[in-house]
Amino acid sequence: MKSDKKLYNLQKFLILQTKINPATNNNITDGYAYAWYNDIYPFFDDSVKWHEGFEQCFEIKKERISEVLFFLDENWLKKKYFTFYQLESHYGGRGFRSELISILRYAYLSHKFDDAFWKKIVSDAPIEAHTITYKLEIFLN
């Protein structure tokens, strides 16, 4: 497992270097870069093979992400939207807050759902959850 984690960290470094390089940054989507940077399994990017073989190395696992996203998608299709606090409560409270923020931010940066959905999420949310809908900033200094 230690060698897997070393290879994972090397792959993460290469992907993030590609994203911050102005000559290659368009080769990596914002969502994919965010997922790697935050150790979230890149659920929406299964056609990209760069994370293949590293599934066990991501802190936020594919199963957890799919559980949340399938729940949201099922309700979104019915035009049933949630505030952040409602979602947090649904998933067991504050102990899930940072993970939920990360999953939602990954979905936002991957251009999932619509503006009404995202407005509802942040309409009643802790201050740190408002970053969900911020543009990804890449600092080059």
Side-chain angles (χ1 to χ4, degrees):
M1 183 69 158
K2 284 185 178 184
S3 65
D4 285 350
K5 194 63 173 177
K6 287 178 184 177
L7 289 173
Y8 169 83
N9 285 325
L10 180 59
Q11 184 74 333
K12 180 178 181 175
F13 174 78
L14 292 171
I15 287 168
L16 296 175
Q17 280 298 115
T18 301
K19 184 62 179 171
I20 65 170
N21 183 334
T24 59
N25 69 353
N26 288 330
N27 295 333
I28 306 287
T29 66
D30 289 351
Y32 196 70
Y34 178 83
W36 272 93
Y37 185 77
N38 290 282
D39 296 312
I40 302 165
Y41 179 83
F43 181 82
F44 296 120
D45 299 285
D46 272 347
S47 64
V48 178
K49 301 298 182 194
W50 297 329
H51 59 274
E52 204 170 80
F54 295 112
E55 293 84 359
Q56 75 284 1
C57 296
F58 291 96
E59 287 181 31
I60 303 178
K61 306 293 185 208
K62 181 178 184 176
E63 295 76 24
R64 182 59 147 173
I65 297 166
S66 66
E67 172 192 342
V68 172
L69 294 174
F70 282 123
F71 172 78
L72 292 173
D73 188 55
E74 182 179 291
N75 284 286
W76 175 70
L77 291 170
K78 298 174 191 171
K79 302 274 188 228
K80 183 177 180 187
Y81 305 137
F82 299 94
T83 67
F84 182 86
Y85 284 124
Q86 289 170 327
L87 283 174
E88 184 179 65
S89 177
H90 176 79
Y91 284 103
R94 284 191 77 175
F96 185 56
R97 181 173 289 179
S98 65
E99 196 170 313
L100 184 58
I101 289 170
S102 294
I103 292 169
L104 291 170
R105 181 137 170 78
Y106 170 60
Y108 177 80
L109 291 170
S110 298
H111 308 287
K112 305 304 177 191
F113 308 112
D114 59 15
D115 286 341
F117 173 91
W118 294 114
K119 283 179 185 172
K120 181 71 173 185
I121 291 281
V122 297
S123 70
D124 188 25
I127 193 74
E128 63 270 27
H130 289 267
T131 62
I132 291 168
T133 56
Y134 288 4
K135 180 183 174 214
L136 185 66
E137 295 291 330
I138 305 291
F139 299 101
L140 300 175
N141 6 343

